Amino acid sequence: MIDSLSRGPSPISAFDRIGEENAFAVLARAGELAAQGRDIINLGIGQPDFPTPPHIVDTAVKALKEGHHGYTPAVGIPELREAVAADLSKRYSTEVGSDTVMIVPGGKVTMFAAILMFGEPDAEILYPDPGFPIYRSMIEFTGATPVAVPIRESNNFAFSASETLALITPKTRLVIINSPANPCGGVTPKSEIDALVAGLADHPHVAIMSDEIYDHMTYDGEKHVSLLNYPEIRDRLILLNGWSKTYAMTGWRLGYSVWPPAYFEAVRKLAVNCWSCVNAPAQFAALAALTGPQDAIQTMMSAFDERRRVVVDRLNNIPGVSCVTPKGAFYAFPNIEKTGWQSKPLATALLEDAGVATIGGPDFGIHGEGYIRVSYANSLENIERALDRITSFLAK
Ligand code: PLP
């Protein structure tokens, strides 16, 4: 069987260009080591360590028992699209029509759709580096040219409007931005977003995808600034968001996007061709998440905040390591250059020898060399134990 498969026709070359998200490989390796009896502390994975709030789970079970077993409209059930529109309109004091909201199976699906929509040979797409690895992978898959916008520690890991605008050419079709950001935890200040939007007025041929999946996850009273708040770009803005992080629902595969009317029909057809619709009971759970009590978000964020302070403090006490205080999401991105290690060998050694999973910065782009990503989606006790191990490992 395997023989005949290996002799079969080759997939088209675009598939050679698909990349990876190494966090999944690290998760698998950490699982293997744990199965061998090793005590592994996972600071590699990008998902909240909290359960989905029980009222959300109960709603999904009820939906199943009540017979919601079939297809739904490809764009999502109307009551959920309306709830998303109402939630965004309220939180950002802006008008979002439910007819522009698309329910999709996970945050990734919006980036897949948006990049497919604008990516083709000879097109250029700007993306943050270090950034979520799937941006670049998908851009390359479409044959478009990925243009990295460096995300700099010296800028507190916020993106720079001037650097982004300077990279736009007549071939640029799409600019991807992400704040609060994975993997650096940076939050871009409003002044910088204002400057980006003002500059985009000179480039009407460029669409924007704003990945705001961590929009609830900011610290120190910092308020998330949504690109939805800029009416001048709404006719070319694709907003990516979802339930994975805010409601601890990564495994449910639930996301949503807001599309300009001109692109909506195209993405609806993509849904019909590819995923048909999102799992029906999960959509009812998503509705319960948006319309039910919101206190679980605050509880989770208070825990993340406490851990964030511990992680940053402990990392900054390790000789050779320095760590900017992240303003959002649940990742720290310490600079490890002065330890003498390169990022990926260090991440591997920490997992194999010290039993702590982290992700090497280059897994998020070339500008990630010199850093590792530490996710603090783990208990305070485990974080302390992991930092003890990292400290003694690097002291050797
Ligand atoms: N965007 C960013 C910046 C992320 O970090 C992630 C997940 O880690 C996603 C999108 C994808 O989210 P989902 O798991 O809902 O596909």
Side-chain angles (χ1 to χ4, degrees):
M1 181 68 189
I2 291 188
D3 247 20
S4 72
L5 273 180
S6 64
R7 273 187 265 111
S10 310
I12 58 164
S13 59
F15 279 78
D16 293 339
R17 300 194 298 264
I18 289 193
E20 255 288 10
E21 188 183 347
N22 206 33
F24 281 95
V26 172
L27 183 65
R29 180 65 185 147
E32 270 170 30
L33 292 172
Q36 291 164 17
R38 295 273 309 277
D39 172 29
I40 304 296
I41 307 170
N42 198 336
L43 305 185
I45 193 69
Q47 66 181 342
D49 56 316
F50 294 85
T52 304
H55 70 280
I56 300 177
V57 176
D58 292 346
T59 306
V61 172
K62 186 161 166 275
L64 273 175
K65 289 198 170 148
E66 285 176 354
H68 292 288
H69 304 168
Y71 293 124
T72 76
V75 292
I77 55 173
E79 51 275 56
L80 181 55
R81 298 174 72 205
E82 275 154 27
V84 168
D87 175 58
L88 292 172
S89 303
K90 183 167 159 230
R91 284 196 291 128
Y92 299 130
S93 312
T94 184
E95 191 73 21
V96 176
S98 63
D99 54 344
T100 62
V101 173
M102 173 92 200
I103 309 301
V104 287
K108 270 179 183 165
V109 178
T110 299
M111 70 186 75
F112 179 79
I115 295 169
L116 271 189
M117 202 176 279
F118 293 99
E120 60 181 346
D122 218 32
E124 292 173 2
I125 298 183
L126 272 55
Y127 70 101
D129 178 339
F132 191 56
I134 302 306
Y135 303 144
R136 185 185 172 104
S137 163
M138 277 307 302
I139 296 167
E140 289 189 323
F141 178 66
T142 65
T145 305
V147 179
V149 179
I151 301 295
R152 301 185 192 280
E153 183 182 1
S154 55
N155 199 22
N156 272 327
F157 295 124
F159 67 77
S160 144
S162 56
E163 230 172 331
T164 308
L165 291 165
L167 289 166
I168 294 181
T169 74
K171 292 183 174 179
T172 308
R173 300 290 311 281
L174 179 69
V175 172
I176 299 173
I177 58 171
N178 171 220
S179 174
N182 179 8
C184 309
V187 170
T188 300
K190 180 170 181 305
S191 54
E192 210 61 28
I193 301 181
D194 289 349
L196 178 74
V197 172
L200 284 171
D202 296 334
H203 307 288
H205 62 293
V206 176
I208 305 112
M209 189 192 83
S210 181
D211 182 341
E212 301 186 16
I213 200 144
Y214 296 100
D215 63 345
H216 282 273
M217 301 189 155
T218 54
Y219 305 100
D220 304 329
E222 186 100 27
K223 214 169 155 0
H224 174 65
V225 181
S226 175
L227 270 281
L228 283 175
N229 277 124
Y230 296 83
E232 59 272 52
I233 52 161
R234 283 287 287 276
D235 62 346
R236 50 187 168 132
L237 171 71
I238 300 156
L239 178 92
L240 180 160
N241 207 328
W243 287 262
S244 293
K245 317 286 174 175
T246 310
Y247 297 98
M249 296 179 78
T250 51
W252 293 71
R253 309 312 302 137
L254 268 170
Y256 67 80
S257 22
V258 178
W259 295 81
Y263 311 152
F264 193 85
E265 190 49 15
V267 72
R268 186 195 63 76
K269 282 198 281 186
L270 184 66
V272 170
N273 277 267
C274 187
W275 58 89
S276 294
C277 66
V278 172
N279 169 315
Q283 292 192 56
F284 287 91
L287 182 59
L290 287 182
T291 55
Q294 302 294 304
D295 47 313
I297 303 175
Q298 202 38 57
T299 309
M300 182 166 75
M301 286 312 293
S302 304
F304 280 150
D305 192 12
E306 190 184 3
R307 297 166 186 184
R308 173 181 76 121
R309 290 161 200 274
V310 171
V311 165
V312 171
D313 195 47
R314 294 281 318 256
L315 285 167
N316 277 319
N317 274 311
I318 302 175
V321 177
S322 62
C323 185
V324 161
T325 302
K327 291 197 162 135
F330 42 78
Y331 310 109
F333 206 60
N335 185 323
I336 51 93
E337 259 171 3
K338 293 199 177 121
T339 62
W341 281 86
Q342 292 225 301
S343 303
K344 291 206 32 135
L346 177 60
T348 304
L350 286 175
L351 177 58
E352 301 290 333
D353 303 339
V356 179
T358 61
I359 314 282
D363 283 333
F364 302 97
I366 50 164
H367 296 284
E369 185 52 76
Y371 302 87
I372 58 171
R373 188 188 78 173
V374 175
S375 158
Y376 43 91
N378 207 324
S379 69
L380 211 44
E381 186 199 342
N382 279 341
I383 288 170
E384 295 276 16
R385 286 199 306 131
L387 267 301
D388 288 345
R389 290 184 189 181
I390 297 175
T391 306
S392 16
F393 178 83
L394 284 172
K396 273 187 213 155

